Every structure is written in C-alpha cells, then in structure tokens.
Amino acid sequence: MSGYPIPASESEVELSFKNSRFIGTAKVAATVNEAKNCIASVRARFLDASHHCYAFAVGYGATVTRGMSDDGEPSGTAGKPMLAVVQGCGLGDIVVVATRYFGGTKLGTGGLVKAYTETTQAAIAAVERVCKVEIIGVVVILAYDAYEICKRQIKAHGAMVEAEDFGVQVQLVLRLDAERYDELRTTLIEMTSGRVQVELLD
C-alpha cells in the first residue's frame, strides 16, 4: 500500500487536570527533522510552560521512526503513554506535543499518565485526516497511431501529463499514483499490442 492517512491540518486543544493546564498540539511531520522543528516551535510559543512532552511516528506500517520524551516529568508518565496513543491512532507522519503549565497540585504517577494520554487523544481527535499518496514519474514511448487511445487511458487512470515530445515517436512524461502504475502499464501494452514502452523515471 503506497497511500496512508496523515494529519491534514494542525490541531490545538486545551484540557485541565487539578489546575494544571495541558495544551495538546498535533501536526503532520514527514521527517524526523520536521517533527523536531514542530516540537521546537511549540516550545518557543509556550516558553513559560513547565514541560513540553512529545511523541511522534514518522512513516507508516512496517517502516516507522518513533520518538518520545518525558521532558522532566517522572519517567514513563508522559512520553510512553503519548506514544502508545500515537501508535494506535492509525495515522502516519504525526507528531504530538503536550505542553503543561503546573497548577500547584501534584497529579501523581497515575494522574500524569491519564492527563498526557487524554491530551494526546484529544489533539489527535481534533485533526482532519487526508490520504498521503506516493506519486511517481513515468515515461511512455509510443507510435503516433497509438497516441489518442493511449492518451484516453492515461487520463482514465488519473495520470497527469507533464511533458510531450513529438519526435520519431511520441514520448510522454507522466505523474501517477504509484498504486496505479502496474494497471496503467498493462492496459497500455494490451491496447497497443505491445507497441509501447512504459518505464519508471529515476
């Protein structure tokens, strides 16, 4: 599967637990650097906060890079429960930062786990979702008499023609959803009785 759900927008929610304010920020992060930049921007926005705990999952499925931090909270009370929510939410390329303003009353270990878990859940619930699709480049080389029929199939498969070169043969450069490449290639070969070259761009 080349497509997977990711956050379409940034969300920010605020919860209160025994006078402590918890601000949850969820955002898309396609790389570890993007996740770190998001964490840094939240820190900069709430400079006077007590803690900025976070969890992120970059990628999806079998290829995911994860990160988390308790940021000074007792070990295992923030980053770990946050990451558990992030891993179970069904989204890829996501970072969540939970910012805490201490309200004077200690929450205890269980209270902290509950607060950071619920803040993460609320931030993710507030995020709109979109499917991230891998787009690839494709070159199609064909004879002039196959041009019209191939163009119709290219359009039907949702491919976008980026360039056309009319030389001895016609050369088309396409952008296409990776999941539809095999289907398009097979269709074009069948339609032209094999008189077409379809190759991936490097």
Side-chain angles (χ1 to χ4, degrees):
M1 187 179 78
S2 65
Y4 58 88
I6 62 170
S9 58
E10 181 175 346
S11 73
E12 189 177 294
V13 298
E14 186 170 326
L15 286 76
S16 182
F17 298 88
K18 291 185 180 178
N19 299 323
S20 278
R21 283 174 64 209
F22 285 81
I23 301 166
T25 306
K27 194 175 180 182
V28 68
T31 65
V32 172
N33 273 344
E34 281 184 25
K36 288 179 177 177
N37 288 340
C38 174
I39 295 159
S41 71
V42 173
R43 280 185 190 278
R45 206 158 83 235
F46 304 111
L47 272 174
D48 55 340
S50 312
H51 306 277
H52 299 283
C53 305
Y54 65 80
F56 64 80
V58 173
Y60 189 76
T63 55
V64 180
T65 304
R66 300 176 182 89
M68 63 180 182
S69 171
D70 293 314
D71 193 37
E73 293 283 29
S75 179
T77 61
K80 193 173 179 181
M82 288 180 71
L83 186 61
V85 175
V86 166
Q87 285 179 291
C89 75
L91 290 169
D93 294 350
I94 183 170
V95 56
V96 180
V97 184
T99 300
R100 182 187 182 192
Y101 283 90
F102 181 56
T105 305
K106 290 190 176 181
L107 299 181
T109 303
L112 286 170
V113 170
K114 174 181 165 65
Y116 282 106
T117 297
E118 291 185 12
T119 301
T120 306
Q121 289 170 336
I124 291 172
V127 156
E128 291 179 19
R129 299 175 177 222
V130 69
C131 186
K132 179 179 181 176
V133 178
E134 183 188 355
I135 301 297
I136 55 173
V138 179
V139 177
V140 179
I141 300 170
L142 47 92
Y144 279 80
D145 62 357
Y147 175 74
E148 290 300 333
I149 193 168
C150 286
K151 276 293 287 279
R152 281 198 296 274
Q153 289 303 322
I154 286 164
K155 185 178 179 183
H157 283 76
M160 198 171 77
V161 179
E162 282 202 331
E164 296 182 322
D165 181 24
F166 297 93
V168 177
Q169 291 182 298
V170 182
Q171 179 174 298
L172 307 175
V173 177
L174 317 175
R175 304 296 288 175
L176 175 70
D177 173 354
E179 288 187 338
R180 305 199 71 180
Y181 171 71
D182 288 337
E183 182 188 343
L184 175 63
R185 186 174 183 276
T186 301
T187 301
L188 293 183
I189 288 169
E190 286 176 357
M191 289 284 184
T192 61
S193 302
R195 294 179 301 112
V196 64
Q197 286 177 257
V198 185
E199 295 171 358
L200 289 170
L201 268 177
D202 292 334

